[in-house]
Amino acid sequence: MDPKAGGGGEEDDCVDSGAETGGSDYSHLSSTSSELSVEEAQDPFLVSIHIIADPGESQPLQEAIDKVLAWIHPDLPLFRVSERRACRRRRKPLKGAQPALAVVLFLQEEYGEEQILQLHRTLQQPPWRHHHTERVHGRFLPYLPCSQDFFTLAPGTPLWAIRPVHYGKEIVRFTVYCRYDNYADSLRFYELILRRSPSQKKVDFCIFPIFSNLDVDIQFSLKRLPCDQSPVPTDSSVLEFRVRDIGELVPLLPNPCSPISEGRWQTEDHDGNKILLQVLGGCLSVCLGDQRNQLALPQTQ
């Protein structure tokens, strides 16, 4: 945690966010795999999120995200906010609807409760708004009260939560909530996209290690929803993955995949979440090198 960083909700029987895995032995695993190139294995930006805001709203949303991420690392550009051309008319979300995408930040307990509570207060200020308070199997989780809350920035954007890390490193975890019947297919889909297997795998939850250094882990996870719950795609947010060999990948995907710009392709997972595939090429490798310099990450040969 970087200590320099500085709406009304409801209680829901929402599924466990996987908070119990924070600080587990899996947080020490590296994302390196023998099947991956050195550059892929050391890419902290293999997974990112692109948020589309209404006109005039991108700057405050980007600043709010950057301020929260600064608690993990002051230069961690995992989120990019851009603007659509015109405001969209939105339908009122159903009560108890479960957004399909969440971001969970695991912060070191050794910094003290006050530091975590300070970040929690930041998430209670506009443009952040409280979404729901988490209960698992009808009970509240045995952590700090603030670690049961979920927040959001705007309609159609991911949920955000903070959790204490009992030991190990601080973690940025992207979580996709999957329909019960689609969980196994979703697991195979993201294994194909990420070109790696999960480091931790349960019947209803798995974690893919994306990047690991001495200070922070970046993870991607899937969470299976109960039979009576369905994830709602975040229509103003898109997961973006850096990939190679797009020609080999496209025929293996379950849904149509088409180019939307030079170096970018779009497809969907089994639950209808839009996915951007960024083809890693020469100019992107240069950008990756620049970002590694900002993070003081190891350079590839």
Side-chain angles (χ1 to χ4, degrees), residues 8 18 36 42 66 93 104 109 153 158 163 168 171 239 251 288:
L36 303 176
Q42 295 296 328
D66 292 345
V104 184
E109 276 189 325
L153 268 175
R163 301 285 184 264
I171 303 169
L239 272 170
L288 173 59

Side-chain angles (χ1 to χ4, degrees), residues 100-116:
L101 185 58
V103 180
V104 184
L105 305 181
F106 293 87
L107 303 179
Q108 286 281 5
E109 276 189 325
E110 67 184 49
Y111 291 99
E113 289 186 8
E114 180 53 36
Q115 296 281 8
I116 297 176

Side-chain angles (χ1 to χ4, degrees), residues 1 12-24 68 71-72 98 102-113 115-120 123 130-136 139-151 159-175 177 205 217 219 221 223:
M1 181 191 303
D12 279 344
D13 290 320
C14 290
V15 298
D16 178 19
S17 63
E20 74 281 359
T21 60
S24 70
V68 168
W71 286 77
I72 298 288
Q98 174 67 51
V103 180
V104 184
L105 305 181
F106 293 87
L107 303 179
Q108 286 281 5
E109 276 189 325
E110 67 184 49
Y111 291 99
E113 289 186 8
Q115 296 281 8
I116 297 176
L117 291 173
Q118 184 178 342
L119 177 55
H120 183 257
L123 293 173
H130 182 259
H131 187 274
H132 72 269
T133 298
E134 181 179 61
R135 288 188 291 178
V136 181
R139 62 181 176 83
F140 289 109
L141 296 174
Y143 302 122
L144 290 172
C146 66
S147 68
Q148 300 170 213
D149 294 332
F150 277 87
F151 300 87
L159 296 175
W160 288 71
I162 53 175
R163 301 285 184 264
V165 173
H166 308 300
Y167 58 92
K169 290 171 283 185
E170 297 186 319
I171 303 169
V172 178
R173 180 182 296 168
F174 302 97
T175 297
Y177 293 99
F205 183 71
D217 283 344
Q219 301 174 344
S221 70
K223 177 65 183 177

Side-chain angles (χ1 to χ4, degrees), residues 165-206:
V165 173
H166 308 300
Y167 58 92
K169 290 171 283 185
E170 297 186 319
I171 303 169
V172 178
R173 180 182 296 168
F174 302 97
T175 297
V176 173
Y177 293 99
C178 306
R179 195 181 303 270
Y180 184 89
D181 293 336
N182 287 343
Y183 177 73
D185 288 333
S186 295
L187 176 55
R188 287 190 290 270
F189 174 82
Y190 286 104
E191 282 181 324
L192 182 64
I193 296 292
L194 294 168
R195 296 185 63 198
R196 65 194 69 193
S197 299
S199 61
Q200 179 178 3
K201 186 176 178 181
K202 300 180 181 179
V203 294
D204 63 351
F205 183 71
C206 67

Side-chain angles (χ1 to χ4, degrees), residues 39-59:
E39 185 171 276
E40 287 174 299
Q42 295 296 328
D43 185 358
F45 311 107
L46 183 68
V47 184
S48 60
I49 292 180
H50 183 192
I51 294 174
I52 305 97
D54 284 338
E57 295 184 2
S58 62
Q59 183 175 345

